[in-house]
Amino acid sequence: MYRKSTFEQPDEQFLAHARTIVTQCDAHRTAWRLDNDRLDEIDSLTDKAQAAYAANSDKATRNLTTSTNKKIAFGELKHALGPFVDYLEANLSVPDEALAVMGLRSRIHHAHEPLPRPGEAPLVKVAKQHDEMTVYVMRAEHGHPAQSTTRKQYHGFKLRWRFEDETHYRTEVSTRLHHTLYFEREDETKRVVMAAAWINPRLEEGPWSEDVMEVVG
């Protein structure tokens, strides 16, 4: 999940944080050129979590079922919020000050000199589980993969991917060393072509890795 500590809050505070993000995005979805489907999903999951929280908070209705429903609803919302917040940060139509209003980390890093574009391509490894692919990136030092990035060097990485029979790449940005792609059941057996590039804090990308091809499922 995106910066796990960001959403490690008491239930009421977490819901308020999620609602602030949804409210701001709803109000600026056109100006920020937001993906309507992604935003509508977050909106729906926030409403679901709010309703589950309210049902479990009422002493007259609270039981094992309401507790389980709340746990599931909160888990689904947190699972979706992580990639969505990464998406907001990568979308330069969302102003830096808007990230602050939504309680998210600013893109601005106060350094003495701006970091240049990364000069090397990452190594890419893929782990598959059911209808998910988790893409891991790492540095090559003396011919061996490193275990972590150095924050002074990289902000994260950019991932581009497409199905083999497509020409248009989808792009994701992650500030971690891995990113998980989720596929539909009907995507099973499809081939996915992907590559990654390191980015600096200004989201400028370095050289792309060689393409990696994996089969869904």
Side-chain angles (χ1 to χ4, degrees), residues 35-177:
D35 183 309
N36 288 321
D37 290 340
R38 297 181 77 160
L39 177 52
D40 290 344
E41 178 191 20
I42 296 297
D43 206 336
S44 176
L45 290 173
T46 302
D47 288 341
K48 181 179 176 181
Q50 185 74 60
Y53 174 75
N56 194 61
S57 297
D58 188 340
K59 293 182 179 180
T61 61
R62 181 189 305 161
N63 54 41
L64 179 60
T65 298
T66 62
S67 176
T68 300
N69 289 342
K70 191 209 75 156
K71 182 177 179 180
I72 292 173
F74 271 58
E76 290 176 342
L77 177 56
K78 290 181 180 182
H79 182 77
L81 264 179
F84 185 73
V85 169
D86 283 339
Y87 161 70
L88 291 177
E89 184 177 291
N91 180 358
L92 298 184
S93 294
V94 181
D96 289 318
E97 56 268 25
L99 295 178
V101 170
M102 291 185 283
L104 306 177
R105 189 173 69 177
S106 172
R107 301 186 191 94
I108 300 174
H109 295 259
H110 300 286
H112 295 295
E113 295 181 5
L115 290 175
R117 289 177 181 269
E120 63 178 348
L123 296 177
V124 177
K125 302 292 182 182
V126 180
K128 298 191 296 182
Q129 181 177 2
H130 303 299
D131 299 323
E132 300 178 8
M133 286 187 187
T134 299
V135 182
Y136 294 89
V137 293
M138 56 202 77
R139 295 186 62 208
E141 294 182 350
H142 308 295
H144 298 284
Q147 296 301 313
S148 64
T149 62
T150 301
R151 286 295 179 187
K152 292 182 179 179
Q153 294 175 313
Y154 304 130
H155 177 68
F157 75 99
K158 182 180 290 186
L159 172 69
R160 67 183 185 192
W161 69 274
R162 63 176 173 83
F163 291 113
E164 186 181 24
D165 60 353
E166 296 178 336
T167 57
H168 174 71
Y169 277 98
R170 299 166 176 82
T171 302
E172 308 285 348
V173 171
S174 175
T175 55
R176 299 162 296 169
L177 287 172

Side-chain angles (χ1 to χ4, degrees), residues 9-21 45-54 70 74 77:
Q9 302 165 315
D11 291 346
E12 189 172 359
Q13 292 180 27
F14 167 68
L15 279 176
H17 193 176
R19 182 61 64 190
T20 296
I21 293 172
L45 290 173
T46 302
D47 288 341
K48 181 179 176 181
Q50 185 74 60
Y53 174 75
K70 191 209 75 156
F74 271 58
L77 177 56

